[in-house]
């Protein structure tokens, strides 16, 4: 399976519409990949709280339209990162869209864990409530966004729902980059799953971004890692390694806590 992680830079001097079109062009250029992944809140910047209200879109807004078209043109599964959604009741959400190779929408995930410690996203946005997986022909994706990475129970829930490849879209700050790589590897090892974690590059809202998008295999080995600048990280991996790893080292079968009671 071939995946391309687009570590796009969020430049405050570039308009949202210009970046939207540029991101679409980058997606289309990945024709030949099976899966393409964009980072968190790339249209506006994950820390650009002051423009969230202004740039919020309905679910089927311009980002949905442009990304659906790009997925169809490239013929890829597209995890379109996330954008600021305005729900019909006015609530803002940090929302991920996944599109099939024909451009049809396959999944919507609203970020469950909001970052900010009583400011920013934590108070401006509603919290998602549903774990979301997406069945691809080669593997089942489990969806998570940035701060979610710090909550292992979410990933264990995704694995219980069938996830074999955990996809994390982020706008992770440079000052905590060590946590980014450490947690990506931890989530892979403890769940015996691939982790595809893609972040933004550049600086927005005066916050330098970590970049360093990373792909980790079920044993915790780093298959590929980007640098700090805008970059497209493409990697080929074998989805069958998940099942083989879980069979060779069946740690998940020895769980005693957090299991659903028998019916």
């Amino acid at each position: 399976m071939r995946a391309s992680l687009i570590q796009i830079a969020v430049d405050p001097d570039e308009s949202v519409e210009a970046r939207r079109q540029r991101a679409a062009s980058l997606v289309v250029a990945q024709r030949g990949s099976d899966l393409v992944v964009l980072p968190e809140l790339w249209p506006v910047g994950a820390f650009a709280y002051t423009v969230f209200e202004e740039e919020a879109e309905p679910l089927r807004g311009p980002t949905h339209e442009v990304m659906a078209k790009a997925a169809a043109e490239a013929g890829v599964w597209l995890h379109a990162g996330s954008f600021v959604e305005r729900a019909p009741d006015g609530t803002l959400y940090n929302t991920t869209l996944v599109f099939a190779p024909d451009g049809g929408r396959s999944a919507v995930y609203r970020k469950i864990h909001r970052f900010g410690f009583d400011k920013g996203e934590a108070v401006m946005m509603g919290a998602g409530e549903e774990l979301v997986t997406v069945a691809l022909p080669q593997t089942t994706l489990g969806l998570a966004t940035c701060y979610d990475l710090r909550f292992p129970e979410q990933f264990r829930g995704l694995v219980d729902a069938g996830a074999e490849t955990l996809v994390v879209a982020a706008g992770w700050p440079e000052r905590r980059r060590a946590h980014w790589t450490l947690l990506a590897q931890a989530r892979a090892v403890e769940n015996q799953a691939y982790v595809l974690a893609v972040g933004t590059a550049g600086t927005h809202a005066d916050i330098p971004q970590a970049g360093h998008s990373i792909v980790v295999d079920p044993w915790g080995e780093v298959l590929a890692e980007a640098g700090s600048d805008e970059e497209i990280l493409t990697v080929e991996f074998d989805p069958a390694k998940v099942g083989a790893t879980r069979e060779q080292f069946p740690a998940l079968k020895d769980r005693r806590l957090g299991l659903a009671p028998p019916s």
Side-chain angles (χ1 to χ4, degrees):
M1 182 172 178
R2 182 183 177 97
S4 293
L5 282 57
I6 300 179
Q7 183 173 284
I8 196 167
V10 179
D11 182 346
D13 295 327
E14 181 181 38
S15 71
V16 170
E17 179 55 27
R19 187 157 48 253
R20 193 180 282 125
Q21 295 300 325
R22 186 165 67 86
S25 296
L26 292 171
V27 170
V28 172
Q30 306 319 304
R31 188 180 290 111
S33 289
D34 300 295
L35 172 66
V36 178
V37 187
L38 282 160
E40 178 190 28
L41 294 177
W42 56 267
V44 297
F47 290 89
Y49 306 135
T50 58
V51 301
F52 282 3
E53 280 282 353
E54 177 185 352
E55 298 293 348
E57 312 171 32
L59 189 66
R60 296 187 68 89
T63 295
H64 186 294
E65 179 181 355
V66 169
M67 291 294 104
K69 182 178 178 181
E73 189 171 344
V76 299
W77 286 91
L78 174 60
H79 179 304
S82 71
F83 70 103
V84 182
E85 177 201 358
R86 188 187 305 279
D89 66 359
T91 303
L92 302 186
Y93 291 98
N94 187 337
T95 299
T96 287
L97 303 172
V98 178
F99 296 96
D102 63 0
R105 191 179 75 217
S106 294
V108 176
Y109 168 64
R110 288 170 165 173
K111 185 178 179 182
I112 291 172
H113 300 97
R114 299 160 298 167
F115 179 73
F117 310 115
D118 299 324
K119 62 182 180 181
E121 180 187 51
V123 295
M124 296 181 68
M125 291 184 158
E129 297 180 352
E130 296 182 2
L131 297 177
V132 177
T133 61
V134 187
L136 275 59
Q138 307 95 327
T139 188
T140 296
L141 307 182
L143 308 186
T145 304
C146 203
Y147 192 42
D148 288 336
L149 190 59
R150 293 185 179 274
F151 299 87
E153 61 273 19
Q154 176 167 345
F155 292 83
R156 188 51 55 83
L158 290 168
V159 167
D160 286 345
E164 300 165 317
T165 300
L166 304 167
V167 183
V168 185
W172 201 275
E174 165 60 29
R175 62 178 175 265
R176 290 187 289 276
R177 178 161 66 86
H179 292 186
W180 167 249
T181 53
L182 176 66
L183 291 168
Q185 288 180 276
R187 298 295 86 86
V189 170
E190 69 195 8
N191 293 296
Q192 299 181 306
Y194 284 100
V195 169
L196 278 57
V198 55
T200 49
T203 296
H204 63 266
D206 298 321
I207 305 292
Q209 297 297 287
H212 286 266
S213 299
I214 190 169
V215 177
V216 188
D217 82 359
W219 285 101
E221 296 294 324
V222 176
L223 301 184
E225 183 174 0
S228 57
D229 298 326
E230 181 164 305
E231 182 177 343
I232 297 174
L233 186 68
T234 297
V235 64
E236 294 190 4
F237 64 97
D238 180 8
K241 189 172 184 178
V242 174
T245 300
R246 293 174 181 176
E247 183 173 341
Q248 293 165 13
F249 194 82
L252 291 173
K253 294 181 180 179
D254 287 334
R255 293 167 58 196
R256 292 178 58 83
L257 302 176
L259 297 172
S263 56

